[in-house]
Amino acid sequence: MIHVDNLNVSVGNFNLHGVNLELREGGCLAILGPSGAGKTLLLETAMGARRPNRGRVLINGRNITDLPPELRRIAYIPQDLALFPHLSVRRNITFGLTSGAARRGTGEALDRVVAMFNIEHLLNRRVIGTLSGGEKQRVALARALIAQPRVLFLDEPFAALDAATRADLLRSLRSLRQTLNITLFLVTHDLDEACFLAEEVAIMMRGRIVEYGPRDRVFRQPRTTAVARFLNIRNILPIEQFRTTGFLSVKASHDGCTHVAVRPEDVTLTEWDDGPSDAVHARLDALIPLGSRTIAELTLPGSLRLEAMLNHDQAAALGRSASDRVRVSIPTGSMIYLSTDAGGPAYPAPVLS
Amino acid sequence: MIHVDNLNVSVGNFNLHGVNLELREGGCLAILGPSGAGKTLLLETAMGARRPNRGRVLINGRNITDLPPELRRIAYIPQDLALFPHLSVRRNITFGLTSGAARRGTGEALDRVVAMFNIEHLLNRRVIGTLSGGEKQRVALARALIAQPRVLFLDEPFAALDAATRADLLRSLRSLRQTLNITLFLVTHDLDEACFLAEEVAIMMRGRIVEYGPRDRVFRQPRTTAVARFLNIRNILPIEQFRTTGFLSVKASHDGCTHVAVRPEDVTLTEWDDGPSDAVHARLDALIPLGSRTIAELTLPGSLRLEAMLNHDQAAALGRSASDRVRVSIPTGSMIYLSTDAGGPAYPAPVLS
Amino acid sequence: MALAGGVVGGMKLSRSLFALSLACGLGGAVSLVLMMLAAQIGFAGVRAPIAALGRPDIQHAIKLSLFCATIAAGLAMLVAIPSAYVLARYRFPGRILIDVLLDIPIIISPIAIGITLLLMFRSAPGSWVQEHLLRFVFEVPGIILAQFIIALALQIRVLKATFEEINPRLEQVARYLGCGPWAAMWRVTLPLARPGMVAALLLGWGRAIGDYGATVTIAGSVKGKTDTIPISIVLNWSAVRIEAAVALVMVLTSIALLVLLAVRLAAGGSRT
Amino acid sequence: MALAGGVVGGMKLSRSLFALSLACGLGGAVSLVLMMLAAQIGFAGVRAPIAALGRPDIQHAIKLSLFCATIAAGLAMLVAIPSAYVLARYRFPGRILIDVLLDIPIIISPIAIGITLLLMFRSAPGSWVQEHLLRFVFEVPGIILAQFIIALALQIRVLKATFEEINPRLEQVARYLGCGPWAAMWRVTLPLARPGMVAALLLGWGRAIGDYGATVTIAGSVKGKTDTIPISIVLNWSAVRIEAAVALVMVLTSIALLVLLAVRLAAGGSRT
């Protein structure tokens, strides 16, 4: 439905380089990346708010690169929501319906979105500033969707909300997608949001798409250290160092890859004397409970540090043990082989004290 | 070490009501709450940036309510970090050392914090604006800690960062606490941050502390629906409705409680024909993979909706099953009994479409 | 502990000095203005000046000033709104140069503006305009032109700041909600700019009504014809009709106060 | 599809009209200012005015103006900085009233300021000051006082906006890092306010040097004594020494341009 075709944009001395994306009708594409990667610039260019130096944007095969915004039938929710501060909630929501034919259907359209987002009680509020964060979000969604746009562009829409409100809105938006069959183009730096809403994910760094594909492929099999680090896969280690520590199941070389990443939830800990034969001895430094799960911090021979994620029962068992020594094993299938980015790590390597 | 004693503050028509808190030396207290709850106001009053209407703040038994800020030996990192834009990174970090005796030790003190946060390579940057979000954080921490303060006050310090950078900084701060034995006073709306750093948690809503205690107690056994909702416990249901659905192990009445909350990770799903005898039949509406875990959305008899959190293996097993019917069971011990807040829900109830 | 007490004591003194010097600065500035207001009333009370307001020549001056300033400030708004909008919203080569050019009439001496206008009407195209279209020199249109220029520059400055404070994303969202550029401006930008537009109109009007240098240079002080309030003040003062002059000074002061209060109210009203 | 094309065509026209009307507004404003600048040069070229600059009475006027405006604007800064800081940082009862009072000298007619100062010096305490301390009326100190008031109000306004734009948390963090209130101001606030302070000084100075109404009322136009540039312009123009008057107008215009450019450079330099 939406094709972004070799888009090049410059702002000051920041550039977007040859971005190609494709989004099918009713689908959801998430653009993920650290701040400053150019995500918002890409979104604004795809929407038509900025003119690209080169490249085209097509909707249903029609080139809309030069179409004025008011004729595009797309909706846009920016990070700050941009609710109109001089209008009541009702007038904010119906803002897009005052021209021509749409005006006659205002009543039903309003009823429809009001029911959809359950904001009946807010309709007569005169001052937008007194709404809570979640209420503002729902009003912004109602305003954007009242005219039944073809595509909804979202720029970090939930960044300022607390966990419970965000979780509610994510579920709202997810069920809306199914009801309305609307296409979503989502920019975010939050992994959970992308995971929850999108089928396709593109990861952007320094003005380039560095990974692009189905969500599960991108999240489970990143290809470079920079992307793996951005995806918050905590254990990223040089292959050689990993092997010399005793994990002999790690392949010595693999398509020119230099690093191996292992998710904390794929690391298995057992007590000192049990465990499979390929397990490696390690010292358990700390158990940090985090909601229903527990992070275990480990030190392996050669001062190698690893993190493991345990569920409640495993953590309780380890916590009871008198010794701080454990055996660590990692299934061969859960090793992710990574190459180092040609231009050095696009994402600065964290160093801890 | 820090005692906040019956603090009352007014700003405009917002009030903090009789806040009492206690923080031991080397401890970490997190103030959690939705935005607009008064968290920052509490922090600023505890630091002495605002004068309370009533109440006192003591550090080590000494009343510091009237002590000017520069004599308090506390450090402060606001949400926007407030790095000095006209100074280089080096001069930002050493800003606090230019008076009197501290000046002579500048060299060593600088070396110490630079090593601690691994910011050697940033020292000679002249313009703060070109640092990345994570780099700015580390510079702000170095500036705050160079003069070895007794307490560090943090106001939403990691709100603008992506998951990987935040995770790195949380681990830095956690290990620093152990190395430096510094006391932390943290304001945040992020549950994971509080969980990761704090031993004590206070939950604030509308200018009042509504829950206060050890982290595990507060997170595992909230007492009111508003707090449970803020803690993002997805399944909060009226006791009666829950019982009539078939969960007979739910006590009909319990200390005047009206609702029961169940964490999604405590809900067990099994295939239609297995499962314990007290299990209830339900329809599986959706499986939403989220990182290493999967959310299952269920509909129970009486249109009751529940969420369950599954690990990878459980989800895979359910995913293979041809039927969308499952059996749901909930261990008696994981039911959290809640009372409704006297003044109605302090936190607006979310309603989904 | 005694030492620490000493340090705290010293700090307290330094902090008091800090507060004191701030208070002195502000107190000095405020008392200067208050002394000036007191001097006006102290000189002749309010009765004699109010009586002087009844004189026909003073009524003529007040009417002429209100007429000219209102037309000048109104016309200037029509030019100032689009100019300020372009400068606030678009980036184009030469923007900074234009910005500087448009600030000249704010900072330059009104005398220089007046002389420059006289030079313009002495040139060949200027003379042609004078002869065939409209006489400006020593005439009421000259007053309006001078005041137009003085109001315009100030209005552009105020409106530019106003438009810059309005989140441009509001207009962008309005466009995606189906508004053309006119509709987006009419339904979003202008309503939000209303306090700034009121301020620009009133401040420009106030500056126009108080102008002496530019007005007197191009329109002269022709008694009964081009004597605006400031010109009439000078005429009366030199003729030692002090009550009449003071009466008009008090009129100008009251106008200034009313304008400033109205601007505050407009700005405050938008914040509720 | 044809209909849609028609709609798009109509929209295009409406959008062109939008751009056109914006361009007309800005173009009109800019060309008015350019015409004024052209009129100055067009009248006598630049040679005759430059020659006129050599005349001793004109040199006296320029020297006097530079002297008075520099002292007036410098002194005004000493009062304006603490006043603006208090107004920007503290909330106290009466703050808005003080704010309005301090804006009066910006919006009021300079003639009214001058007459008010004369009235002040006619009062008993004013006469005592004149006789025992310093003569103001018809003297150079009178020029400086008038220009001080004119510069002060503008400077407070500019500095207040500057201080308001500086994140107050920077000072707060500086305090917790061990700075007293003086040190926090000296090491954080003032360095960050430097572009604004340069702008306030230059704009106040530019307004002071261009003032005619207030200066002429309190200090008169005593040739060779209180004839600042604007007063000298009027004296020369009435004596039909047009080249001399135009020369001084061009001096004022150049000063205005230089001040505005310097303000831009100061602001731009801080952004790198």
Side-chain angles (χ1 to χ4, degrees):
Chain A
M1 179 192 191
I2 302 184
H3 290 252
V4 171
D5 182 14
N6 191 31
L7 215 56
N8 285 266
V9 198
S10 304
V11 175
N13 42 22
F14 184 87
N15 296 293
L16 284 191
H17 303 280
V19 173
N20 290 290
L21 296 168
E22 207 177 318
L23 178 50
R24 64 168 180 75
E25 179 132 26
C28 174
L29 169 65
I31 311 289
L32 267 168
S35 59
K39 304 187 296 291
T40 295
L41 183 58
L42 170 58
L43 179 100
E44 289 184 346
T45 315
M47 286 190 340
R50 279 181 191 279
R51 199 165 285 254
N53 300 349
R54 201 141 41 90
R56 299 181 307 164
V57 180
L58 307 163
I59 290 193
N60 291 334
R62 185 173 168 211
N63 185 346
I64 60 154
T65 320
D66 295 317
L67 200 66
E70 59 269 30
L71 300 181
R72 291 179 174 225
R73 284 195 56 207
I74 63 175
Y76 168 45
I77 301 189
Q79 188 165 5
D80 59 7
L81 305 182
L83 294 174
F84 301 119
H86 59 304
L87 299 179
S88 67
V89 169
R90 182 190 301 272
R91 287 180 156 269
N92 259 284
I93 296 174
T94 58
F95 188 93
L97 291 186
T98 38
S99 61
R103 194 166 203 163
R104 283 187 292 277
T106 303
E108 299 115 66
L110 183 62
D111 292 347
R112 189 172 49 81
V113 291
V114 160
M116 205 179 277
F117 295 102
N118 216 295
I119 44 179
E120 183 82 57
H121 59 296
L122 303 177
L123 266 191
N124 292 318
R125 291 271 206 105
R126 299 233 328 268
V127 184
I128 291 293
T130 60
L131 302 179
S132 75
E135 288 169 346
K136 280 185 191 150
Q137 283 289 353
R138 285 186 276 159
V139 172
L141 279 166
R143 180 183 67 174
L145 297 178
I146 194 167
Q148 297 178 290
R150 300 181 285 201
V151 197
L152 178 57
F153 288 82
L154 298 157
D155 189 357
E156 306 266 12
F158 309 121
L161 301 173
D162 53 76
T165 312
R166 172 187 296 175
D168 292 342
L169 278 162
L170 281 172
R171 282 159 180 76
S172 278
L173 210 52
R174 197 184 149 87
S175 74
L176 273 178
R177 272 193 60 197
Q178 290 157 358
T179 329
L180 303 181
N181 193 32
I182 192 166
T183 312
L184 292 186
F185 193 109
L186 170 73
V187 153
T188 182
H189 70 259
D190 187 284
L191 304 174
D192 282 349
E193 269 171 41
C195 216
F196 200 89
L197 286 176
E199 292 97 32
E200 302 263 319
V201 171
I203 292 180
M204 206 164 180
M205 285 177 180
R206 293 176 169 179
R208 286 176 201 279
I209 302 285
V210 293
E211 288 264 5
Y212 174 39
R215 175 191 56 195
D216 292 344
R217 209 283 292 149
V218 172
F219 280 142
R220 300 230 163 106
Q221 293 290 330
R223 291 180 183 131
T224 63
T225 49
V227 172
R229 201 162 275 134
F230 174 74
L231 292 175
N232 202 12
I233 301 179
R234 302 295 316 160
N235 306 306
I236 302 178
L237 299 153
I239 291 183
E240 261 321 296
Q241 200 184 349
F242 212 7
R243 266 180 72 82
T244 51
T245 304
F247 289 97
L248 295 171
S249 58
V250 178
K251 289 180 217 151
S253 68
H254 184 277
D255 285 346
C257 290
T258 57
H259 286 70
V260 167
V262 180
R263 287 169 200 286
E265 42 276 49
D266 292 332
V267 177
T268 316
L269 299 190
T270 43
E271 287 187 53
W272 186 250
D273 298 321
D274 325 338
S277 56
D278 62 343
V280 172
H281 290 187
R283 193 181 70 226
L284 178 63
D285 295 323
L287 284 173
I288 308 168
L290 200 69
S292 59
R293 298 191 290 175
T294 300
I295 295 173
E297 291 184 340
L298 307 163
T299 306
L300 274 67
S303 301
L304 203 70
R305 300 183 74 172
L306 268 187
E307 266 183 36
M309 183 74 86
L310 312 175
N311 65 29
H312 194 265
D313 298 337
Q314 295 168 315
L318 278 177
R320 273 193 304 276
S321 150
S323 158
D324 64 350
R325 314 201 68 179
V326 290
R327 287 169 76 108
V328 178
S329 63
I330 301 170
T332 316
S334 64
M335 311 260 185
I336 307 165
Y337 289 86
L338 305 168
S339 62
T340 314
D341 230 295
Y347 196 63
V351 191
L352 306 184
S353 63
Chain B
M1 179 190 191
I2 302 184
H3 291 251
V4 171
D5 181 15
N6 191 31
L7 216 55
N8 284 266
V9 198
S10 304
V11 175
N13 43 21
F14 185 86
N15 296 293
L16 284 192
H17 302 280
V19 173
N20 290 291
L21 295 170
E22 206 177 316
L23 179 48
R24 65 166 180 75
E25 177 132 25
C28 175
L29 169 66
I31 312 290
L32 267 168
S35 59
K39 304 188 295 293
T40 294
L41 183 58
L42 170 58
L43 179 99
E44 289 184 345
T45 314
M47 286 192 338
R50 278 181 192 279
R51 199 166 284 257
N53 300 348
R54 200 141 42 91
R56 297 179 307 163
V57 180
L58 307 164
I59 289 194
N60 290 335
R62 186 173 165 207
N63 186 346
I64 60 154
T65 319
D66 294 318
L67 199 68
E70 59 269 28
L71 300 181
R72 291 178 174 225
R73 284 196 57 206
I74 64 175
Y76 168 44
I77 301 189
Q79 190 164 3
D80 59 7
L81 305 182
L83 294 175
F84 301 119
H86 60 304
L87 299 178
S88 67
V89 169
R90 183 191 301 271
R91 286 179 156 272
N92 260 284
I93 296 175
T94 58
F95 188 92
L97 292 186
T98 38
S99 61
R103 196 166 201 163
R104 283 187 292 278
T106 303
E108 297 116 66
L110 182 62
D111 290 348
R112 190 172 50 82
V113 290
V114 159
M116 207 179 273
F117 294 103
N118 216 295
I119 45 179
E120 182 82 55
H121 59 296
L122 303 176
L123 267 190
N124 293 317
R125 292 273 205 103
R126 298 232 330 265
V127 183
I128 291 293
T130 60
L131 302 179
S132 76
E135 288 169 345
K136 280 185 192 151
Q137 282 289 353
R138 286 187 274 157
V139 171
L141 280 166
R143 180 182 67 174
L145 296 178
I146 194 168
Q148 296 179 293
R150 301 182 284 203
V151 197
L152 178 58
F153 287 82
L154 297 157
D155 189 357
E156 306 266 13
F158 310 121
L161 300 173
D162 52 76
T165 311
R166 173 188 293 177
D168 293 342
L169 277 162
L170 282 172
R171 283 159 179 77
S172 278
L173 210 52
R174 198 184 147 87
S175 73
L176 273 178
R177 271 191 62 196
Q178 290 157 358
T179 328
L180 302 181
N181 193 35
I182 193 167
T183 311
L184 292 186
F185 193 109
L186 170 73
V187 154
T188 181
H189 69 259
D190 188 281
L191 304 175
D192 282 349
E193 269 171 41
C195 218
F196 200 88
L197 286 176
E199 293 98 31
E200 303 264 318
V201 171
I203 293 179
M204 202 160 183
M205 285 177 179
R206 294 175 168 181
R208 286 177 201 277
I209 301 286
V210 292
E211 288 265 5
Y212 174 38
R215 175 191 57 195
D216 292 344
R217 208 287 291 149
V218 172
F219 279 141
R220 300 230 164 105
Q221 293 291 331
R223 291 179 183 133
T224 63
T225 49
V227 172
R229 202 164 274 135
F230 174 75
L231 292 175
N232 201 13
I233 301 179
R234 302 297 313 163
N235 306 308
I236 302 178
L237 300 153
I239 290 183
E240 259 323 293
Q241 200 184 350
F242 212 8
R243 266 181 72 82
T244 51
T245 305
F247 290 97
L248 294 171
S249 57
V250 176
K251 290 181 217 149
S253 68
H254 184 277
D255 285 345
C257 290
T258 57
H259 286 70
V260 166
V262 179
R263 286 169 199 287
E265 43 276 48
D266 292 333
V267 177
T268 315
L269 299 190
T270 42
E271 287 187 53
W272 187 250
D273 299 321
D274 326 337
S277 56
D278 62 341
V280 173
H281 290 186
R283 193 182 72 227
L284 178 63
D285 295 324
L287 283 174
I288 308 165
L290 199 69
S292 58
R293 300 192 288 175
T294 300
I295 295 173
E297 292 185 340
L298 307 163
T299 306
L300 275 67
S303 300
L304 203 70
R305 300 183 74 173
L306 267 188
E307 264 182 38
M309 182 74 86
L310 311 175
N311 66 30
H312 193 264
D313 298 338
Q314 296 168 315
L318 279 177
R320 275 192 301 274
S321 149
S323 158
D324 65 349
R325 313 202 69 178
V326 290
R327 288 169 76 110
V328 178
S329 64
I330 299 171
T332 317
S334 64
M335 311 261 186
I336 307 166
Y337 289 87
L338 305 168
S339 61
T340 313
D341 230 297
Y347 196 63
V351 192
L352 305 184
S353 63
Chain C
M1 205 55 218
L3 181 70
V7 170
V8 173
M11 290 258 175
K12 260 194 184 147
L13 184 65
S14 142
R15 248 186 308 284
S16 311
L17 275 177
F18 185 75
L20 191 71
S21 57
L22 290 184
C24 276
L26 186 60
V30 170
S31 51
L32 187 60
V33 175
L34 287 178
M35 268 157 57
M36 289 172 61
L37 295 181
Q40 290 180 18
I41 299 169
F43 173 72
V46 287
R47 206 156 328 142
I50 286 176
L53 286 181
R55 289 173 38 179
D57 62 324
I58 287 194
Q59 292 205 338
H60 172 262
I62 293 175
K63 275 183 208 151
L64 179 67
S65 271
L66 291 177
F67 174 76
C68 290
T70 306
I71 294 195
L75 287 179
M77 281 297 277
L78 296 182
V79 180
I81 291 175
S83 304
Y85 184 78
V86 171
L87 289 174
R89 279 284 185 275
Y90 301 103
R91 297 283 165 275
F92 51 90
R95 197 180 68 95
I96 290 179
L97 190 69
I98 289 180
D99 215 21
V100 172
L101 276 181
L102 292 179
D103 273 348
I104 292 181
I106 296 188
I107 189 83
I108 205 177
S109 174
I111 288 289
I113 295 180
I115 298 280
T116 305
L117 288 177
L118 280 180
L119 294 176
M120 267 172 67
F121 288 115
R122 282 192 165 208
S123 68
S127 308
W128 187 88
V129 168
Q130 285 253 87
E131 269 165 44
H132 296 91
L133 292 176
L134 194 58
R135 298 211 143 263
F136 286 91
V137 180
F138 299 118
E139 299 285 343
V140 171
I143 303 178
I144 295 177
L145 178 61
Q147 296 187 346
F148 172 83
I149 290 170
I150 282 181
L152 177 64
L154 186 67
Q155 288 173 346
I156 291 180
R157 169 65 75 97
V158 172
L159 287 172
K160 191 180 153 223
T162 302
F163 287 131
E164 275 170 351
E165 277 208 355
I166 296 174
N167 182 355
R169 239 179 246 122
L170 293 171
E171 259 174 80
Q172 209 183 327
V173 166
R175 295 293 296 276
Y176 287 107
L177 288 171
C179 288
W182 288 105
M185 186 147 189
W186 189 252
R187 295 180 61 196
V188 176
T189 313
L190 291 185
L192 286 170
R194 199 179 318 160
M197 297 203 307
V198 170
L201 184 61
L202 287 172
L203 292 174
W205 186 80
R207 271 290 267 288
I209 215 169
D211 175 62
Y212 174 68
T215 312
V216 81
T217 327
I218 188 162
S221 40
V222 186
K223 187 131 199 241
K225 188 172 173 199
T226 64
D227 49 347
T228 60
I229 298 178
I231 291 172
S232 184
I233 290 176
V234 173
L235 287 175
N236 278 301
W237 186 267
S238 13
V240 206
R241 285 192 295 273
I242 311 283
E243 276 81 16
V246 173
L248 288 172
V249 166
M250 288 171 81
V251 168
L252 282 186
T253 309
S254 315
I255 286 177
L257 255 173
L258 285 178
V259 163
L260 291 172
L261 280 174
V263 167
R264 296 272 151 181
L265 288 180
S270 75
R271 270 189 217 118
T272 54
Chain D
M1 204 52 220
L3 182 70
V7 169
V8 173
M11 289 259 174
K12 262 197 184 141
L13 183 64
S14 142
R15 247 186 309 283
S16 311
L17 275 176
F18 185 74
L20 191 69
S21 58
L22 289 184
C24 278
L26 186 60
V30 170
S31 50
L32 187 60
V33 175
L34 286 178
M35 268 158 59
M36 289 172 61
L37 294 181
Q40 290 181 17
I41 299 169
F43 174 70
V46 286
R47 207 154 330 143
I50 285 177
L53 286 182
R55 287 172 41 178
D57 61 324
I58 288 195
Q59 291 204 338
H60 173 262
I62 294 176
K63 276 183 207 153
L64 180 68
S65 270
L66 292 177
F67 173 78
C68 291
T70 306
I71 293 194
L75 288 178
M77 282 296 278
L78 296 182
V79 181
I81 291 175
S83 303
Y85 184 79
V86 171
L87 289 174
R89 279 286 185 272
Y90 300 103
R91 298 282 165 273
F92 50 90
R95 197 180 68 95
I96 290 178
L97 190 70
I98 289 180
D99 216 21
V100 171
L101 276 182
L102 292 179
D103 272 348
I104 292 181
I106 296 187
I107 188 84
I108 205 179
S109 173
I111 289 289
I113 294 179
I115 298 281
T116 305
L117 289 177
L118 280 180
L119 293 177
M120 267 172 67
F121 289 114
R122 281 191 167 211
S123 69
S127 309
W128 187 87
V129 166
Q130 285 253 86
E131 270 165 45
H132 296 90
L133 292 176
L134 194 59
R135 298 208 143 264
F136 286 90
V137 180
F138 297 119
E139 298 285 342
V140 171
I143 305 178
I144 295 178
L145 178 61
Q147 297 188 345
F148 172 85
I149 291 171
I150 283 182
L152 177 64
L154 186 66
Q155 288 173 347
I156 291 180
R157 169 65 76 96
V158 172
L159 286 172
K160 190 179 153 224
T162 302
F163 287 131
E164 274 170 352
E165 278 207 354
I166 295 175
N167 181 353
R169 241 179 244 121
L170 293 171
E171 259 174 81
Q172 209 182 327
V173 166
R175 295 294 296 276
Y176 287 108
L177 288 170
C179 288
W182 288 104
M185 187 148 188
W186 189 251
R187 295 180 60 194
V188 176
T189 314
L190 291 185
L192 287 170
R194 201 178 318 162
M197 297 204 307
V198 170
L201 184 62
L202 287 173
L203 292 173
W205 185 81
R207 272 291 267 291
I209 215 169
D211 175 63
Y212 175 68
T215 313
V216 80
T217 327
I218 186 161
S221 41
V222 186
K223 188 133 197 238
K225 189 172 170 197
T226 63
D227 49 345
T228 60
I229 299 179
I231 291 172
S232 184
I233 290 176
V234 173
L235 287 175
N236 277 301
W237 186 268
S238 11
V240 205
R241 283 191 296 272
I242 311 283
E243 276 83 16
V246 172
L248 288 171
V249 166
M250 287 170 80
V251 168
L252 282 186
T253 309
S254 315
I255 286 176
L257 255 173
L258 285 178
V259 164
L260 292 172
L261 281 174
V263 168
R264 295 273 151 182
L265 289 180
S270 76
R271 269 189 218 117
T272 55

